[in-house]
């Protein structure tokens, strides 16, 4: 049997985690032969609710689960963690702006970054779901003294899936036919779903979908505004789809990427690729290598339309970074 991997999940009694934990426990994220230790962190008022989640996990009798620890103490939750999935945050509600979320959630990620650095495994990898996830991730990374910033990630897989589903519907093909989809920038309404480099059944999207006005307009807007549309429709932010994308992001980060394809995830920028500013957590086309490391896809030609969209999203990330400079 493999050595167990310790996975810490914050906000473990919340809606996203409720859709996520059982799939991790079943082996969908790290593999059907990978034992796990689950460490679940919640705020004190939610410990009773978390106890119920633990009871359900126990009642599933997942063979891969070696231990479950439920706590409100970050030092306990992050102890020896190999993966930290920072799900917990105040969700965006109708009418809320991103600055509102940054003000509320930013301080939480200061403490979690410090606790991870002090308690987690030295090579621990950190994946942020709680919004605004890019800048929350940056706050955590900047406060995790001594840890490699390259091991910090934030989610745009949900946006990638949203883009793929829109393209598939427009082209009348299964979503599996859509590959090489890149989300650039921020997990926000400025993100750029790059249809230029995406493919449908191996052909450029622009050869399959010739409606340029739709691609440059409605398609991008639909993907950018999908989260808000879901809130308007169901009165709450997306949970099940967010949990699915979180799980699949980690799976992609630990599984070698199929030849010729890539996926979207936000990672720390070094200022050397695609004109992206240094020192932000930005979504880029990414591949996982055979040795388990990841690399940014290189050599993509960025046209003027894409450049404008990417720069706008990066400008927002820089503004958010400035807004939380006092938390670094």
């Amino acid at each position: 049997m493999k050595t167990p991997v310790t996975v810490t999940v914050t906000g473990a009694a919340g809606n996203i985690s409720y859709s996520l934990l059982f799939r991790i426990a079943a082996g969908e994220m790290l593999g059907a032969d990978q034992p796990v230790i689950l460490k679940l962190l919640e705020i004190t008022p939610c410990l009773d609710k978390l106890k119920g989640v633990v009871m359900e996990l126990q009642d599933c009798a997942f063979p891969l689960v070696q231990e479950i620890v439920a706590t409100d103490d970050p030092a306990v939750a992050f102890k020896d963690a190999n993966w930290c999935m920072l799900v917990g945050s105040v969700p965006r509600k109708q009418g809320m702006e991103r600055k509102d979320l940054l003000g509320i959630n930013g301080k939480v990620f200061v403490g979690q970054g410090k606790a991870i650095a002090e308690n987690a495994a030295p090579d621990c990898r950190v994946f942020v779901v709680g919004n605004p996830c890019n800048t929350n991730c940056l706050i955590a990374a900047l406060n995790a003294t001594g840890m490699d910033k390259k091991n910090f990630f934030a989610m745009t897989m949900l946006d990638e899936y949203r883009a793929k589903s829109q393209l598939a519907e427009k082209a009348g093909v299964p979503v599996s036919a859509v590959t090489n989809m890149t989300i650039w920038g921020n997990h926000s309404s400025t993100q750029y779903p790059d249809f230029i480099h995406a493919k449908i059944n191996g052909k450029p999207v622009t050869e399959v979908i010739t409606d340029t006005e739709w691609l440059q307009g409605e398609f991008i807007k639909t993907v950018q505004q999908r989260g808000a549309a879901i809130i308007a429709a169901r009165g709450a932010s997306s949970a099940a789809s967010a949990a699915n994308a979180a799980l699949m992001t980690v799976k992609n980060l630990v599984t070698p990427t199929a030849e010729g394809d890539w996926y979207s995830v936000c990672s720390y920028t070094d200022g050397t690729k695609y004109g992206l500013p240094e020192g932000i957590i930005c979504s880029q086309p990414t591949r996982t290598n055979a040795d388990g490391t990841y690399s940014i896809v290189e050599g993509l030609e960025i046209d003027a339309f894409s450049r404008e969209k990417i720069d706008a999203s990066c400008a927002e990330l820089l503004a958010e970074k400035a807004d939380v400079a006092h938390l670094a």
Side-chain angles (χ1 to χ4, degrees), residues 67-96:
E67 184 182 4
I68 303 173
V69 177
T71 181
D72 59 357
D73 185 347
V76 174
F78 294 122
K79 181 66 175 174
D80 299 325
N82 304 112
W83 273 98
C84 295
M85 303 189 71
L86 307 186
V87 178
S89 68
V90 174
R92 182 161 62 104
K93 297 180 176 65
Q94 197 162 4
M96 288 182 68

Side-chain angles (χ1 to χ4, degrees), residues 117-128:
E118 292 169 2
N119 297 282
D123 60 349
C124 175
R125 292 199 270 183
V126 179
F127 178 61
V128 178

Side-chain angles (χ1 to χ4, degrees), residues 171 173-181 195-208 259-262:
V173 299
V175 72
S176 58
V178 184
T179 61
N180 303 88
M181 185 69 228
F195 61 87
I196 300 292
H197 296 101
K199 296 178 181 179
I200 296 176
N201 287 322
K203 296 180 179 179
V205 162
T206 51
E207 291 184 11
V208 179
E259 185 67 29
D261 203 359
W262 58 74

Side-chain angles (χ1 to χ4, degrees), residues 86-305:
L86 307 186
V87 178
S89 68
V90 174
R92 182 161 62 104
K93 297 180 176 65
Q94 197 162 4
M96 288 182 68
E97 299 294 334
R98 290 182 68 80
K99 278 192 175 181
D100 299 328
L101 282 183
L102 274 176
I104 295 168
N105 290 326
K107 296 174 184 178
V108 174
F109 288 84
V110 171
Q112 291 185 352
K114 292 178 178 178
I116 290 168
E118 292 169 2
N119 297 282
D123 60 349
C124 175
R125 292 199 270 183
V126 179
F127 178 61
V128 178
V129 178
N131 280 320
C133 63
N134 295 62
T135 301
N136 285 339
C137 182
L138 181 64
I139 293 168
L142 294 175
N143 282 279
T145 304
M147 296 190 68
D148 191 344
K149 293 181 180 62
K150 291 183 178 179
N151 285 341
F152 285 75
F153 308 92
M155 183 167 74
T156 45
M157 183 66 68
L158 178 55
D159 308 300
E160 177 184 328
Y161 284 167
R162 288 168 171 170
K164 284 182 171 180
S165 69
Q166 293 298 316
L167 292 174
E169 183 177 5
K170 181 72 170 179
V173 299
V175 72
S176 58
V178 184
T179 61
N180 303 88
M181 185 69 228
T182 306
I183 302 296
W184 295 93
N186 201 0
H187 175 61
S188 76
S189 60
T190 69
Q191 65 178 265
Y192 172 50
D194 182 356
F195 61 87
I196 300 292
H197 296 101
K199 296 178 181 179
I200 296 176
N201 287 322
K203 296 180 179 179
V205 162
T206 51
E207 291 184 11
V208 179
I209 300 173
T210 57
D211 187 347
T212 303
E213 183 178 352
W214 180 85
L215 287 170
Q216 294 184 348
E218 184 180 341
F219 164 66
I220 293 175
K221 184 178 180 180
T222 297
V223 177
Q224 290 176 334
Q225 300 291 338
R226 187 70 163 187
I230 290 171
I231 290 172
R234 68 184 296 263
S237 59
S238 51
S241 57
N244 177 70
L247 182 141
M248 293 305 297
T249 302
V250 174
K251 183 176 181 179
N252 279 329
L253 283 165
V254 301
T255 307
T257 307
E259 185 67 29
D261 203 359
W262 58 74
Y263 59 91
S264 301
V265 67
C266 307
S267 57
Y268 193 78
T269 55
D270 62 10
T272 66
K273 297 178 179 66
Y274 297 113
L276 304 179
E278 182 179 3
I280 58 174
I281 301 290
C282 183
S283 186
Q284 307 170 71
T286 306
R287 288 182 52 83
T288 299
N289 307 312
D291 62 359
T293 62
Y294 74 93
S295 56
I296 305 303
V297 175
E298 297 190 30
L300 301 182
E301 295 290 334
I302 306 299
D303 67 358
F305 179 85

